[in-house]
């Protein structure tokens, strides 16, 4: 009997698929990507001192794994630790008559399939591509029975994105090392997302509130209930009250005239349900309703897609593929959900025809919306097999899908215009007459709202007729101020990226996670706020690379990648069109970009010692404020809690535990430390915190200490309760190794490599720049 090898990415996905296929199928997992561009340069590309000669590399047309001069030819290498997996897969493929590559149905999945095909050494005619939008018996067997071939256009689109990101990241990051601070990095799309956040924060910081007033009349008709009407017009023009004096004058006019109903409009309004989830809307709604980050949402969705153990049923894929930008639903799924709605809620909740939803211009219509794979598995039936987060996300997906095919909610809406002399007051009431899809899913934002006034919903008005005179109970003027635009949170940032055409379903979570990990933004009350470092990076990049950070240009690049996937554009020509202008801007930036280390950024703050302006600078220990008249004036002050690099004692707000005097930061032969300001009368000294949390206990901070032999080392401030220690200075840069969870790196120096960072756990080095 013929043997078939089926290769997927994950063991969980392999378990789910294996149970639906017979003994003549061998299902194995690659455990993600098996090849990638190199993380560090080979020895032949390093200079005499061991450092990578970046200038020479670019001149020869090489950008770490990409031969720019030879049509951007990439040179992939086996990812560390994947050699045994490849060996096992290769042996299995030799025993099989054919190989089916069943990696995910997106660009990343296509790249994994392509690299597997290269490494398995199987004749191309015996290698097939199968796509699973959902992991159910029907779809798995249908795909196996109708295999296709590898999609070179889709692979080229992924490859073009990877090379673009490598070119930008590898050449921008060393520039930031030179101009700002060692260890920094920049990415093509992440830098644009950072710009959105910094621009929004700038708009908030510079916003000047404008005063305005409203006037509300508390009125009563012959029958209850009483209601409030708001002043909307004065002498036929929209009212705009800017100060208390105008509000008082209009209030006197209103008091002097009767309130007479001028017009009553009654209408029936229906509110349609929102479409089923696509990747971006799932991330946004999970953030709003479940308080889940985008990365956490995608991680849990991946688990639900690949399969959950459901007792005797084995591993079952509960949702369709979670990286999609199409709200399309398969006909058989529409039939199933309509039968479910009729059986559970009744015929009145089932619309006459299924709802259809508009597909975005860039959407891949071959994909489906994110939906349950079976209407026989409602959340309550599988709840005992899911953890809390899995159940919450599955319930959200289930309810949104069911609601998307239910009847609209119906509201009785009444709008009354009330004449008062030359003034016009208005009130709108809306009462739900039929809950429709609201029975299952509550929408925070109506999809077809025209006035946006949520206060109108479920506001009941008394019977009103034209010419009816109303009783005034009170008249209330209220002062208001215009509000600045809100800062971005994860949901609103992803929505903004989607609307601007920046990023794709597979990249939204990575974009958000990357700018957080780089410490360019911080999260305050679940809102993004750019750090001082983030503002500096964004400002420098905007000044030197205005096109690269332009949202329109980035969206255009995304469209170009889509055209490559569709076979309408050459990936080499696309990269060439990007690289030449970028190379020119890079060369100019190396000469003209402001050096924060040497020049600093002027501020409006005066130096407290000499009165001249302070400048924001970068030193070995991070950012600090220093006097612009240095070296004549040596004043410095830390920024964001980082110690200022100065040899003069730096005051702190800490009291000496021995004598009560203030502690200061001093610099000795082994580095900085806390010392009593009364030294040498009081010789109390303490180690100085590095500002890096202990990765072992997560409670203490790593502080600088000296061994008995005088050697500097860094250990947890909770010693001896926690014994974690390092010989080299730790920095808040997480390890880039996907299989390593270290939140820190160590600063190191050698004659061979110069300055570099190394992970204390997996020992991975960053000798030139972090991988983009």
């Amino acid at each position: 009997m013929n043997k078939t090898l089926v290769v997927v990415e994950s063991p969980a996905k392999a378990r789910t698929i294996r149970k639906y296929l017979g003994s003549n199928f061998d299902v194995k997992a690659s455990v993600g990507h098996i090849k990638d561009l190199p993380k560090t340069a080979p020895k032949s590309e390093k200079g005499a001192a061991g450092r990578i000669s970046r200038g020479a590399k670019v001149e020869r047309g090489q950008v770490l794994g990409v031969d720019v001069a030879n049509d951007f030819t990439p040179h992939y290498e086996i990812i560390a630790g994947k050699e045994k997996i490849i060996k096992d897969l290769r042996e299995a493929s030799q025993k099989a008559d054919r190989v089916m590559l069943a990696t995910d149905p997106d660009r990343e999945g296509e790249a994994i399939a392509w690299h597997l095909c290269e490494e398995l050494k199987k004749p191309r005619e015996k290698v097939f591509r199968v796509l699973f939008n959902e992991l159910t018996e029907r779809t798995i067997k249908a795909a196996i029975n109708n295999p296709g071939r590898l999609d070179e256009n889709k692979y080229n689109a992924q490859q073009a994105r990877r090379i673009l990101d490598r070119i930008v990241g590898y050449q921008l990051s060393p520039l930031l090392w030179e101009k700002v601070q060692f260890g920094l990095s920049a990415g093509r799309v992440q830098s644009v997302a950072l710009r959105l956040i910094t621009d929004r924060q700038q708009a908030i910081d510079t916003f000047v509130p404008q005063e305005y007033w409203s006037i509300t009349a508390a009125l009563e008709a012959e029958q209850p209930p009483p209601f409030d009407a708001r002043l909307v017009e004065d002498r036929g023009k929209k009212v705009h009250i800017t100060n208390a004096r105008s509000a008082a004058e209009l209030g006197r006019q209103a008091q002097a005239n009767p309130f007479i109903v001028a017009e009553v409009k009654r209408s029936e309004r229906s509110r349609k349900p929102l479409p089923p989830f696509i990747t971006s809307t799932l991330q946004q709604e999970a953030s709003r309703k479940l308080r889940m980050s985008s990365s956490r949402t995608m991680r849990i969705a991946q688990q639900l897609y690949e399969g959950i153990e459901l007792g005797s049923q084995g591993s079952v894929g509960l949702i369709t593929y979670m990286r999609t930008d199409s709200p399309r639903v398969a006909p058989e799924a529409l039939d199933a959900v309509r039968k479910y709605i009729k059986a559970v809620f009744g015929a009145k909740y089932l619309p006459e025809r299924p709802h259809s939803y508009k597909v975005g211009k860039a959407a891949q219509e071959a994909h489906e919306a994110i939906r349950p794979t079976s209407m026989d598995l409602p959340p309550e039936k599988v709840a005992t097999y899911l953890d809390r987060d899995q159940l919450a996300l599955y319930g959200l997906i289930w309810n949104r899908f069911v609601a998307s095919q239910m009847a609209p909610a119906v509201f009785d809406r009444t709008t009354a215009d009330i004449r008062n002399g030359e003034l016009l007051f208005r009130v709108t009431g809306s009462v739900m007459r039929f809950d429709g899809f609201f029975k299952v899913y509550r929408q925070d934002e109506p999809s077809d709202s025209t006035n946006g006034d949520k206060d109108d919903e479920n506001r009941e008005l008394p019977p009103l007729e034209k010419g009816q005179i109303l009783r005034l109970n009170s008249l209330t003027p209220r002062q208001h101020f215009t509000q600045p635009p809100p800062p971005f949170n994860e949901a609103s940032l992803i929505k903004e990226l989607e609307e601007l055409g920046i990023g794709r379903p597979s990249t939204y979570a990575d974009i958000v996670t990357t700018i957080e990990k780089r410490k360019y933004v911080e999260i305050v009350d679940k809102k993004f706020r750019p750090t001082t470092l983030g503002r500096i990076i964004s400002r420098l990049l905007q000044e030197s690379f205005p096109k690269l950070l332009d949202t329109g240009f980035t969206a255009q690049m995304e469209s170009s990648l889509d055209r490559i996937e569709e076979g309408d554009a050459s990936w080499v020509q696309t990269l060439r069109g990007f690289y030449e202008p970028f190379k020119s801007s890079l060369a100019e930036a190396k000469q003209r970009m402001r050096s924060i280390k040497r020049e600093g950024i002027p501020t409006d703050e005066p130096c407290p010692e000499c009165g001249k302006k302070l400048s924001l600078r970068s030193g070995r220990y991070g950012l600090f404020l220093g006097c612009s008249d240095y070296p004549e004036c040596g004043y410095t002050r830390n920024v964001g809690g980082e110690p200022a690099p100065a040899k003069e004692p730096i005051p702190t707000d800490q009291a000496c535990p021995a004598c009560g005097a203030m502690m200061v930061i001093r610099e000795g032969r082994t580095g900085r430390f806390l010392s009593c300001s009364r030294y040498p009368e009081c010789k109390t000294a303490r180690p100085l915190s590095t500002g890096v949390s202990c990765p072992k206990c997560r409670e203490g901070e790593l502080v600088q200490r000296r061994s008995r032999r005088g050697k500097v080392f860094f250990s947890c401030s909770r010693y001896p309760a926690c014994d974690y220690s390092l010989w080299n200075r730790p920095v808040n840069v997480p390890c880039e190794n996907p299989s390593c969870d270290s939140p820190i790196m160590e600063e190191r120096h050698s004659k061979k490599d110069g300055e570099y960072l190394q992970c204390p756990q997996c020992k991975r080095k960053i000798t030139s720049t972090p991988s983009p």
Side-chain angles (χ1 to χ4, degrees):
M1 185 178 290
N2 292 337
K3 192 78 172 178
T4 299
L5 172 65
V6 179
V7 185
V8 297
E9 294 102 329
S10 75
K13 190 175 176 181
R15 283 194 300 272
T16 303
I17 294 171
R18 192 176 292 126
K19 76 172 191 174
Y20 297 122
L21 301 178
S23 59
N24 56 328
F25 287 88
D26 185 12
V27 186
K28 291 185 175 294
S30 69
V31 194
H33 282 274
I34 60 167
K35 295 170 73 174
D36 197 4
L37 296 174
K39 297 286 186 184
T40 57
K43 292 181 180 179
S44 61
E45 293 183 357
K46 295 182 179 180
R51 296 293 303 275
I52 294 173
S53 179
R54 301 185 190 105
K57 286 168 61 62
V58 175
E59 287 172 12
R60 295 201 307 268
Q62 297 287 330
V63 180
L64 191 54
V66 179
D67 191 348
V68 175
N70 188 24
D71 287 340
F72 301 93
T73 302
H75 298 288
Y76 296 103
E77 62 179 25
I78 303 299
I79 296 173
K82 291 298 180 76
E83 294 85 354
K84 186 177 185 305
I85 292 173
I86 293 173
K87 180 183 176 183
D88 293 343
L89 290 174
R90 191 177 291 155
E91 290 175 355
S93 72
Q94 298 308 314
K95 298 174 184 177
D97 297 286
R98 60 177 183 168
V99 174
M100 291 190 172
L101 304 175
T103 47
D104 286 347
D106 59 9
R107 291 174 187 166
E108 293 300 317
E110 201 66 34
I112 295 173
W114 199 273
H115 292 155
L116 283 167
C117 182
E118 291 175 343
E119 292 302 317
L120 294 183
K121 312 297 185 185
K122 197 79 172 171
R124 184 63 65 91
E125 64 271 13
K126 293 186 179 287
V127 178
F128 299 88
R129 182 80 166 100
V130 289
L131 305 175
F132 303 138
N133 183 59
E134 58 183 77
L135 299 184
T136 60
E137 183 175 9
R138 178 185 58 80
T139 57
I140 290 171
K141 290 184 174 179
I144 293 291
N145 292 331
N146 297 279
R149 294 293 181 180
L150 291 170
D151 188 338
E152 187 171 5
N153 291 330
K154 185 177 287 188
Y155 171 61
N156 285 337
Q158 188 277 344
Q159 185 168 247
R161 177 188 289 279
R162 186 72 185 94
I163 293 171
L164 270 174
D165 291 343
R166 172 53 59 92
I167 288 171
V168 173
Y170 184 70
Q171 297 192 68
L172 279 189
S173 298
L175 182 65
L176 296 179
W177 288 23
E178 177 187 345
K179 304 289 186 179
V180 184
Q181 185 177 307
F182 178 75
L184 299 179
S185 59
R188 181 179 61 88
V189 181
Q190 294 87 351
S191 296
V192 179
L194 176 61
R195 177 186 180 171
L196 292 175
I197 293 171
T198 55
D199 285 356
R200 175 63 62 86
Q201 190 62 49
Q202 178 69 13
I204 294 170
D205 293 342
T206 58
F207 181 81
V208 179
Q210 300 294 319
E211 180 185 11
Y212 71 98
W213 289 71
S214 66
I215 297 178
T216 302
L219 301 171
E220 194 172 344
E222 295 175 359
Q223 298 183 34
F227 61 93
D228 292 340
R230 180 173 288 194
L231 177 63
V232 294
E233 290 183 11
D234 178 14
R235 288 167 286 189
K237 294 182 179 180
K238 184 177 179 179
V239 70
H240 182 59
I241 312 171
T242 58
N243 52 58
R245 183 175 179 180
S246 298
E249 176 60 31
L250 289 169
R252 283 192 291 272
Q253 289 183 40
Q255 294 276 9
N257 294 293
F259 287 80
I260 302 172
V261 178
E263 185 179 17
V264 180
K265 293 180 181 178
R266 295 181 176 87
S267 61
E268 179 183 284
R269 295 180 70 249
S270 63
R271 184 178 299 173
K272 294 181 180 179
L274 292 173
F277 285 128
I278 58 176
T279 303
S280 59
T281 54
L282 175 63
Q283 291 171 342
Q284 293 165 38
E285 202 74 341
S287 175
R288 276 195 291 261
K289 293 194 171 184
L290 306 179
R291 297 292 186 263
M292 285 185 184
S293 67
S294 55
S295 57
R296 185 172 159 208
T297 297
M298 296 308 291
R299 184 171 61 251
I300 297 167
Q302 183 97 27
Q303 296 165 3
L304 297 174
Y305 164 72
E306 291 182 342
I308 300 293
E309 291 290 334
L310 300 183
S312 60
Q313 295 184 60
S315 183
V316 177
L318 293 178
I319 66 170
T320 53
Y321 190 56
M322 63 286 160
R323 295 185 181 92
T324 176
D325 50 11
S326 171
R328 187 185 70 83
V329 176
E332 57 270 19
L334 281 177
D335 291 341
V337 72
R338 285 175 63 81
K339 289 177 183 177
Y340 175 85
I341 292 168
K342 187 174 182 179
V344 174
F345 302 105
K348 66 179 181 177
Y349 285 92
L350 184 68
E352 186 178 340
R353 290 185 297 275
H355 296 305
S356 60
Y357 296 96
K358 185 179 179 181
V359 178
K361 290 181 181 179
Q364 302 177 59
E365 292 194 55
H367 290 178
E368 273 196 72
I370 303 169
R371 60 167 177 82
T373 57
S374 172
M375 298 309 297
D376 295 327
L377 296 173
E380 60 271 15
K381 190 172 181 179
V382 299
T384 55
Y385 303 103
L386 305 180
D387 64 31
R388 185 177 63 180
D389 288 345
Q390 290 171 340
L391 181 60
L393 193 65
Y394 183 57
L396 189 70
I397 293 168
W398 176 280
N399 291 337
R400 175 76 166 237
F401 177 60
V402 171
S404 72
Q405 290 301 324
M406 291 179 71
V410 180
F411 296 82
D412 285 333
R413 184 180 176 87
T414 302
T415 300
D417 285 352
I418 302 162
R419 180 64 61 187
N420 174 266
E422 295 181 322
L423 305 179
L424 184 71
F425 287 75
R426 180 171 293 152
V427 60
T428 299
S430 182
V431 178
M432 183 184 291
R433 185 158 55 85
F434 174 61
D435 56 0
F437 72 90
F438 270 69
K439 195 171 189 70
V440 173
Y441 193 88
R442 182 75 180 184
Q443 291 178 185
D444 293 333
E445 297 179 8
S447 59
D448 57 352
S449 175
T450 56
N451 68 347
D453 187 0
K454 294 183 181 180
D455 293 338
D456 294 345
E457 192 171 300
N458 293 326
R459 176 195 281 170
E460 189 174 355
L461 297 179
L464 297 174
E465 299 295 337
K466 184 176 180 180
Q468 185 176 358
I469 299 176
L470 305 174
R471 182 185 306 111
L472 175 65
N473 291 331
S474 65
L475 198 67
T476 307
R478 289 190 179 89
Q479 183 186 38
H480 309 272
F481 291 92
T482 55
Q483 297 297 309
F488 285 113
N489 56 24
E490 276 210 11
S492 59
L493 180 61
I494 290 172
K495 184 177 182 180
E496 184 80 2
L497 291 170
E498 182 187 28
E499 290 178 350
L500 291 171
I502 297 171
R504 288 296 180 262
S506 60
T507 63
Y508 294 134
D510 288 340
I511 292 169
V512 171
T513 303
T514 299
I515 57 176
E516 287 183 52
K517 286 173 63 177
R518 289 175 178 169
K519 308 297 183 184
Y520 293 163
V521 300
E522 58 184 351
I523 299 179
V524 180
D525 296 330
K526 299 190 180 296
K527 305 286 197 307
F528 287 122
R529 180 180 294 171
T531 61
T532 303
L533 180 61
R535 289 176 186 258
I536 291 172
I537 298 300
S538 185
R539 179 173 172 180
L540 291 176
L541 292 178
Q542 286 185 62
E543 290 173 351
S544 298
F545 301 92
K547 188 174 183 180
L548 183 66
L549 267 71
D550 178 68
T551 56
F553 175 75
T554 307
Q556 183 183 337
M557 285 304 304
E558 296 289 352
S559 298
S560 297
L561 295 173
D562 292 340
R563 292 180 64 238
I564 294 171
E565 181 173 344
E566 293 160 6
D568 296 331
S570 160
W571 71 275
V572 174
Q573 292 297 331
T574 300
L575 290 175
R576 191 172 290 144
F578 169 84
Y579 185 68
E580 291 305 321
F582 173 73
K583 184 172 69 172
S584 176
S585 297
L586 183 67
E588 187 173 346
K590 287 179 179 178
Q591 301 298 321
R592 297 191 178 185
M593 181 183 280
R594 188 181 331 182
S595 173
I596 307 304
K597 291 181 179 179
R598 294 189 297 270
E599 305 166 28
I601 296 178
T603 72
D604 293 330
E605 186 178 347
C607 174
E609 293 186 1
C610 71
K612 296 192 176 179
K613 299 297 184 184
L614 294 179
S615 292
L616 186 64
R617 298 178 182 272
S618 176
R620 181 180 176 186
Y621 300 102
L623 298 173
F624 67 98
L625 283 168
C627 183
S628 58
D629 199 29
Y630 178 85
E632 281 71 20
C633 177
Y635 176 82
T636 59
R637 190 176 77 235
N638 59 324
V639 172
E642 300 171 352
K647 294 191 176 181
E648 294 296 319
I650 303 169
T652 73
D653 58 0
Q654 298 183 41
C656 174
C659 69
M662 299 308 294
M663 300 286 280
V664 295
I665 298 173
R666 300 183 189 274
E667 187 160 354
R669 62 184 180 86
T670 58
R672 293 207 161 109
F673 62 99
L674 280 171
S675 168
C676 182
S677 58
R678 293 181 59 246
Y679 178 86
E681 287 78 15
C682 177
K683 296 184 179 180
T684 301
R686 281 184 169 184
L688 183 64
S689 173
T690 62
V692 178
S693 297
C694 176
K696 183 176 182 179
C697 70
R698 310 277 180 175
E699 295 180 22
E701 288 190 336
L702 298 183
V703 297
Q704 181 176 304
R705 302 181 190 271
R706 274 186 295 178
S707 69
R708 291 180 181 177
R709 296 184 179 181
K711 188 174 180 180
V712 174
F713 70 102
F714 301 87
S715 66
C716 182
S717 59
R718 295 181 64 244
Y719 178 84
C722 176
D723 61 358
Y724 186 84
S725 63
L726 296 166
W727 284 115
N728 299 286
R729 178 173 289 276
V731 292
N732 272 317
V733 176
C735 180
E736 291 190 336
N737 186 347
S739 61
C740 179
D741 61 354
S742 175
I744 67 170
M745 302 281 275
E746 297 177 283
E747 286 184 354
R748 286 177 173 258
H749 180 87
S750 69
K751 290 183 179 180
K752 179 181 177 182
D753 295 317
E755 284 187 332
Y756 65 95
L757 299 180
Q758 178 172 300
C759 176
Q761 284 186 198
C762 70
K763 307 305 179 184
R764 171 165 287 192
K765 293 181 181 180
I766 303 177
T767 56
S768 58
T769 176
S771 173

